[in-house]
Structures are given as structure tokens and as C-alpha cells.
Amino acid sequence: MPDFDESVDVSRPNPARMYDYYLGGAHNFAVDREAADRVLAILPETREFAIRNREFLQRVVRFLAADAGITQFLDLGSGIPTVGNVHEVAQAVDPGNRVVYVDHEPVAVAQSQRLLAGNPYAAVIHADVRDHDSILSHPETLRLLDFSQPLAVLMLQVLPFIRDSDDPGRVVASYRDACVSGSYLALAHSLSFDYWPGAVAEAVDMYTRSTHPLNLRSPDQVAAFFAGYDVVDPGVVFTAVWRPEKPVSDDEAVGSRAVAGLGLLH
């Protein structure tokens, strides 16, 4: 069981801790495991979805660091640290690559702080991704990231937890506007009911009782978040087929239950 303080809400499940459980992590509480098991009982595909998303993160960060020459990363809604996180992948390419993680979940932040202890080129900020001003002006952001140079903004499965009423497109644009030409946006997003089998509505309803309700969107809605970017080949596609390391079947592609893409800022 992870350490926690009074600021951690353990009365309701938290999506970041549920996601950690799907991936086999240990940074979750009984309330999270119980909720996640209920979701898995309805939609066992959820665990595969989480794995596919983690694999996309690793592939896109490796591409950015090794092929696109990006040396600095802002990971918004970074979640619980697990093996193969952004700094591990980026710093395997160049130990000097810099990473700032941002999350609103206290357990995710606390575990990230422990993981990053002694790493001068990576830090974590406890903040809401909607509060771009505080994130962009945070001392750790200013210490590690140079916004006069290209960087990569990562928004992997964070926008599903931002309601339409909070204008997720504007949230994305607020970070785009802080970046210079040559920067990138990597984005992954869970798909709407049509792309899930079985009683997906029942599973999504469980998230309404969590700390962050879930908002699913269509591929076209996700693609619209790349406004102002040139989308890199192969486009906004099922997560599993974004530059896979081995051939992916149609069933595996659809089984992603999410789309992902990478945009290059004009």
C-alpha cells in the first residue's frame, strides 16, 4: 500500500490509481482495486487498453528523443510512475534530456518524487493541468524547460478527465501557445461508446463516482485537438498502430479503444 497523507481522498477511487492497478502496479488502495475489478468484470479489455497506452507512450517518447531531436518534455497528467516512464525512455537516449511531470493526484506526485530523487533533470509538479499559468511559471518548470526552444507536450489520457464545460480544446491551446515552432504535441484519448464492446456505459458510470469522471470522445473530436499542428504520419490512429514495432492485426488495432497522434507545431 502506498504512503499517503490527509490530502489523499481514499473514500473514492481515483483513475490514476486504478490505471496503476490495471498495469500491475502497487501504488493503489483497496477502494481503487475494488472499482477497477468492477470495471474489468464488465470490460476486461480495459487492461489491454492500459497496456496499449503505455506502449504508445514509450514509442512516441523514443521517437521524439531519438529521431526528432527533442530534449525536453512536459508530461501533463503523468499519473503513477511505472516502469518505462517518460524520463526513463528519454534519458536512455540522452541522460541530459529534461522532463517535468504534472499531476493532480497526491499519490502520483509523492511516488514520482521518490522515483526522481537524485535525478537533476526530472521533476514533478502537483497541479491541475487546466491551470496552465501556474504550471508554466512553476520554479521546476522554469528550471528544467526552455520555452524558447522546441519541446514536447504530452497529454496521454488526460483529456478524458476534462469535461466539455472546461473546454479541453482551450486547455490544449494554452500549452500550444506557450511553445515555439518545432515543438510537438503527443496526445492519446479514449474513444466513445461505439468503439467499446458490451456494457461500456455501465463501466464508464463507475468513473462518475470516482474523483475524476470520464468523458469519452470520437476520433474526429480527438483530431480537432491538434488545431495549429501538422499531424505526423500515420496521423490520428488507433493507439496500437501508431508506428508499431511489429505488425498489428485489425482486432488488435480496434482493441486499443483509443486513438493517438503526434503533432508538429508550425
Side-chain angles (χ1 to χ4, degrees), residues 1-244:
M1 178 182 293
D3 296 332
F4 66 97
D5 57 34
E6 293 180 356
S7 67
V8 178
D9 183 357
V10 295
S11 67
R12 292 187 295 167
N14 177 271
R17 301 192 305 257
M18 291 170 66
Y19 183 76
D20 174 68
Y21 177 69
Y22 296 142
L23 290 173
H27 307 304
N28 47 74
F29 299 101
V31 66
D32 308 306
R33 295 189 289 275
E34 290 166 4
D37 282 339
R38 288 196 296 271
V39 172
L40 289 170
I42 300 168
L43 288 178
E45 297 87 355
T46 304
R47 178 161 278 135
E48 181 67 17
F49 153 81
I51 293 170
R52 292 293 187 186
N53 187 67
R54 173 59 50 164
E55 291 173 344
F56 168 71
L57 178 151
Q58 294 166 351
R59 293 197 305 274
V60 76
V61 171
R62 192 175 299 113
F63 170 82
L64 288 164
D67 299 329
I70 294 296
T71 62
Q72 45 184 3
F73 300 80
L74 178 61
D75 186 1
L76 300 168
S78 52
I80 305 286
T82 58
V83 174
N85 217 347
V86 174
H87 73 283
E88 293 178 319
V89 178
Q91 292 176 356
V93 176
D94 183 338
N97 283 343
R98 290 154 289 154
V99 179
V100 173
Y101 293 108
V102 180
D103 206 276
H104 191 51
E105 158 57 25
V107 172
V109 173
Q111 296 297 336
S112 296
Q113 289 171 336
R114 292 186 182 92
L115 180 70
L116 300 175
N119 188 329
Y121 301 115
V124 60
I125 296 171
H126 184 202
D128 189 318
V129 299
R130 294 170 297 181
D131 188 5
H132 63 277
D133 286 339
S134 69
I135 292 169
L136 295 174
S137 63
H138 194 282
E140 291 287 48
T141 304
L142 299 177
R143 177 177 72 87
L144 288 171
L145 304 183
D146 178 359
F147 282 84
S148 71
Q149 299 297 318
L151 72 150
V153 175
L154 310 179
M155 303 188 78
L156 307 188
Q157 295 299 340
V158 64
L159 293 181
F161 299 102
I162 298 179
R163 296 180 176 90
D164 289 339
S165 60
D166 287 329
D167 196 353
R170 183 59 230 166
V171 173
V172 177
S174 67
Y175 294 99
R176 180 198 66 207
D177 294 346
C179 295
V180 299
S181 177
S183 296
Y184 287 86
L185 168 68
L187 192 152
H189 198 298
S190 306
L191 287 172
S192 49
F193 292 171
D194 294 347
Y195 294 86
W196 288 82
V200 62
E202 184 180 349
V204 170
D205 183 61
M206 291 184 185
Y207 278 89
T208 67
R209 297 187 289 274
S210 77
T211 57
H212 294 79
L214 190 61
N215 303 271
L216 303 180
R217 297 184 173 96
S218 70
D220 287 344
Q221 288 175 307
V222 178
F225 292 134
F226 286 97
Y229 292 90
D230 293 324
V231 179
V232 174
D233 185 67
V236 180
V237 296
F238 285 120
T239 307
V241 297
W242 195 91
R243 301 182 179 236

